[in-house]
Amino acid sequence: MSIRQKSSAHDRESELRACRKELRELKSRLDERGLALNLQHEDAAGLTQLVAELDRAKQQAESASRMKSQFLANFSHEIRTPMNAIIGMTDVVLNTKVTPEQHRALTIVKNASESLLNLINGVLDLSKIEAGQFALEVRPFDLRAEVERTVSTLGLTAAEKGLELICRLPPDMPRQMQGDPIRLRQVLMNLLGNALKFTPSGHVCCSCHVEAKEDGDCVVRFRIEDTGIGIPADKLGTIFEDFTQVDSSSTRVYGGTGLGLSISRKLVQLMGGDILVQSTPGQGSTFDFHARMDQVSAPDTAHAQIFDHAATVLVVANNPLIRTHVRELLAFWGLDTEDADCMECMGHDGKNVDLAIMDTDFGDFACMELMLSGGALHELPSIVLTQLGDTSITSGAGQVKAVLTKPLLQDELLRALAQVFGLRLHLPDNQPTERSLPRLRPLEILLVDDVSTNRELAGLLLGKMGHTVHEASDGLDVLTMISRRAYDLVFMDLQMPVMDGFTATGIIRACEQGLPAPTDMDDSFLIRAVREKVHGTYTPIVAMTAHALLEDKERCLGIGMDGYLTKPLRLEEVHAMLSRFSDTLDSPPAPEKIEALSKPPSDPIPTFPGQQAAPASGATGGYVERMLAALSAQYELDREEAMPLIHSLAETLTTHEQGLKDCLEAAAADKLMHHAHGIKGVLLNMGLTEEGLAAKKVEESARAGASPENLRQEAESLLLTTGDILEELHIALAGEHT
């Protein structure tokens, strides 16, 4: 073989090796790309599965949120109804002549009831706080009165545990502040309630002082200290977390949800402050928190040095905090003081003092012996401090000039001192006075409700205030009336047949601005007439509803309503709402009007032929007596004013009862829900709470799509109740006309 041939064969082998190498490289790259494609396919499949799982989780979360909102709405409604009755009946008794002790006890009942309502509303707002959508309701308030009222509410709890509850406020503390008193009260109630719960013996002290700032606002600092069981060091960092408790074992003694401190910290932070805690196990805890507020008034020096050192007072108390607090007050008012505990006073002759302020200290023998015949202070005029409910010492017995219950309030002590020393002071009286709300400029009000009894009741309330009331039964009726004349204010029910309050309000607001109405009726003659009448004007609209959930209020305000009232309506709340849209008149109301508004009827629960006495609380029957009592308590209506409402109830209830029967025969769940809603509203407004809640249950079952058999059973049970009510109403109304 020639050299040329050998060279050619060698080149072909080299090319073949190069091709094989290139093929191997291509195959390797293809294998790598195939693996990458497989991985991409796997990632895409995993991503699709993850998206599906996230979507399911989102749907579950939204469903849980809706269920939570519905539960909170029902929870709020269930508790608010009996709480309104408690507050209303307490108001009735407070407007009668009662002793100072009874007045103090009833005031505490009312304050505690209102505090419970505020706490309920606070729990409903918790989700809004978490979402950053919560807003404080800032308004002027009396800081000292608010703190003292809150502490007094817990006086009975402290007395039952044998604890000293002390409210220690500077006598010159500025009174008027601009802030949110409801949320401040809620924080104080949580911290004081916890302190009392975890303190088996000793005392709980609430103190406060104000630090003014140069820009016109101030920092209000609070301290709640107790001598309780304390908090372990390893728990201090977690006690402000949701649902966290120091003792979470199944055998824990103190109970509670673990939400109080969490809500308190969130509220304080909204008020521009924070909470700190110091604690020593076995010795007690101290909670410090502060809030930023606008200071409206200067320090209160109205009664500084008013007694001009004309007398010396001996302060006798075993608790050094009480002695110090009373001495601070007396020194500010211009009285010289001495102080001692009960044992130190055993040999006191009382010659160098003019008055003794004696703390009986839970009936301590040494304290009581000082006041007995032959005791060291028996002949010395005295003011006695005692626990709420203690009747062992009465004013006027021996040299006892006044008996004050603890926690001690500054105005009560000052009033007692002024009485002892014959000094006339302008202080609010302890005794109740007839309630006379400021008169407002009369308004032309359009009242909208689909239940005639509700319209009549609210109309009577507004009419007694001097306003002219026009009535409409649904949203379509509202549009017709507004197209013909102007009104100063509209009270709008929300849930109504034909057209609800939300739709009617949306149409009115659109027509006022010359915009298309949010309805398919925009081209109708009625909408054109409304637009022509209201374009360029503005009519205030206030919602009236039995729902109390914050979302309902926000929805009302979001569509253009100007206010929100929950049913049953309360006189003060209605007046406060009206005052936003009407000027106060200078001249006082006529005496007969004051009496009609404030004086409870002499016989608020009359009887009728054939009726039995009113049943005990919680029992059924005695419907007329229960309605008359509720109307008297809630709306201050006497028998003559209430009977037309009861007559109207009979007519409304008869209509809805027949409608309920027809729905059962036709198996029409939507119409059944409408009639149950009407029965619920009118019974709750008239004070028949238990029966109204039974109707509410039927309404909710129909809305939830309950089985026809269950719905029939509930509706038939409701019909038995309405039948009993109507039977008694017919007897009562027949007796009225004989």
Side-chain angles (χ1 to χ4, degrees), residues 14-29:
S14 297
E15 290 176 1
L16 183 60
R17 285 196 298 270
C19 288
R20 287 173 178 171
K21 181 179 179 181
E22 185 175 353
L23 284 173
R24 285 195 300 270
E25 291 176 352
L26 287 174
K27 184 175 182 299
S28 177
R29 286 199 295 270

Side-chain angles (χ1 to χ4, degrees), residues 2 93 137 148 251 293 436 504 642 675 717 723 728:
S2 67
V93 182
E137 297 181 12
E148 287 188 335
T251 58
M293 300 181 189
S436 55
H675 290 294
S717 176
E728 184 174 317

Side-chain angles (χ1 to χ4, degrees), residues 365-376:
F365 175 77
C367 297
M368 303 302 293
E369 187 175 351
L370 294 172
M371 306 178 62
L372 297 175
S373 178

Side-chain angles (χ1 to χ4, degrees), residues 77 184 266 342 348 387 690:
H77 189 280
L184 175 61
K266 290 178 173 66
C342 292
H348 201 289
Q387 295 296 329
E690 298 160 10

Side-chain angles (χ1 to χ4, degrees), residues 336-505:
D336 298 327
T337 62
E338 297 180 12
D339 70 278
D341 62 29
C342 292
M343 293 300 296
E344 292 171 344
C345 280
M346 286 297 182
H348 201 289
D349 56 15
K351 292 181 179 180
N352 298 324
V353 295
D354 304 287
L355 175 74
I357 296 180
M358 168 71 67
D359 180 13
T360 56
D361 198 17
F362 296 96
D364 179 82
F365 175 77
C367 297
M368 303 302 293
E369 187 175 351
L370 294 172
M371 306 178 62
L372 297 175
S373 178
L377 304 181
H378 177 65
E379 300 296 331
L380 187 66
S382 61
I383 296 174
V384 177
L385 310 182
T386 187
Q387 295 296 329
L388 184 67
D390 181 11
T391 59
S392 60
I393 303 174
T394 57
S395 179
Q399 287 286 73
V400 177
K401 302 301 181 183
V403 177
L404 307 180
T405 55
K406 296 184 289 185
L408 181 63
L409 307 183
Q410 292 185 23
D411 280 352
E412 289 190 358
L413 179 57
L414 182 56
R415 184 183 297 107
L417 290 168
Q419 181 180 358
V420 170
F421 295 118
L423 185 65
R424 296 180 63 86
L425 296 178
H426 296 290
L427 292 171
D429 191 6
N430 251 352
Q431 282 299 305
T433 57
E434 289 187 339
R435 175 170 49 180
S436 55
L437 298 173
R439 283 202 307 162
L440 301 174
R441 175 179 57 82
L443 300 175
E444 295 283 337
I445 298 176
L446 179 56
L447 177 64
V448 190
D449 198 301
D450 61 311
V451 180
S452 61
T453 306
N454 293 345
R455 294 197 303 271
E456 190 168 354
L457 179 58
L460 183 58
L461 187 65
L462 294 169
K464 290 177 70 174
M465 295 181 180
H467 305 289
T468 302
V469 179
H470 308 264
E471 297 183 3
S473 58
D474 58 60
L476 200 60
D477 201 9
V478 171
L479 299 180
T480 302
M481 298 180 70
I482 281 186
S483 69
R484 297 172 180 170
R485 61 161 300 167
Y487 298 94
D488 297 313
L489 179 65
V490 178
F491 276 131
M492 182 82 75
D493 189 20
L494 298 181
Q495 186 171 335
M496 297 179 290
V498 184
M499 180 182 289
D500 61 38
F502 293 111
T503 303
T505 300

Side-chain angles (χ1 to χ4, degrees), residues 46-64 66:
L47 183 61
T48 301
Q49 182 179 358
L50 179 60
V51 170
E53 291 175 355
L54 288 174
D55 186 59
R56 286 194 297 271
K58 177 176 176 291
Q59 293 177 1
Q60 291 174 355
E62 290 174 346
S63 175
R66 287 192 297 269

